[in-house]
């Protein structure tokens, strides 16, 4: 009897579902979740695993260099129209992989 060769478990994927999101390292200015805590809805319920967009943005600004406009961590994105609460999507992606 030969054992079928089993593919390795996608551990990274599974861990990704339970590991705290890196954006949780900072306080959420949108819903007020403390550092390390999950974001909540207005009614106080724990939401999805994904933090509020505002928190993701703030975290990305704090930790990631923007691949698009090259600003350093702590600096908001330079956007042509001057809107600063929108950051380049690539920066969010960059921050997701950055453990703070
Ligand atoms: Zn939040
Ligand atoms: Zn940018």
């Amino acid at each position: 009897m030969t054992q079928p060769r089993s593919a390795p478990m996608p551990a990274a994927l599974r861990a990704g579902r339970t590991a705290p999101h890196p954006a949780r390292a900072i306080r959420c200015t949108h819903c007020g979740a403390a550092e390390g805590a999950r974001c909540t809805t207005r009614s106080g319920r724990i939401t999805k695993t994904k933090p509020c967009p505002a928190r993701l943005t703030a975290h990305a600004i704090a930790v990631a260099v923007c691949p698009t406009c090259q600003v350093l961590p702590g600096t908001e994105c330079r956007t042509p129209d001057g809107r600063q609460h929108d950051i380049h999507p690539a920066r969010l992606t960059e921050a997701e992989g950055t453990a703070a």
Side-chain angles (χ1 to χ4, degrees):
M1 274 285 217
T2 48
Q3 289 261 62
R5 200 188 244 189
S6 59
M9 287 292 280
L13 285 179
R14 306 197 96 207
R17 298 190 61 176
T18 50
H21 193 284
R24 275 199 232 160
I26 62 164
R27 188 176 170 280
C28 182
T29 54
H30 182 78
C31 70
E35 291 163 29
R38 287 190 198 186
C39 283
T40 56
T41 62
R42 285 190 157 192
S43 53
R45 286 187 54 191
I46 302 288
T47 57
K48 26 159 195 176
T49 50
K50 206 160 170 87
C52 297
R55 194 181 202 178
L56 293 173
T57 299
H59 173 255
I61 291 171
V63 303
V65 173
C66 182
T68 305
C69 65
Q70 310 292 319
V71 293
L72 297 174
T75 309
E76 288 169 334
C77 276
R78 292 189 191 121
T79 52
D81 61 2
R83 290 177 64 197
Q84 295 203 308
H85 50 264
D86 277 341
I87 64 170
H88 295 118
R91 195 176 193 180
L92 285 175
T93 309
E94 182 85 359
E96 294 248 1
T98 310

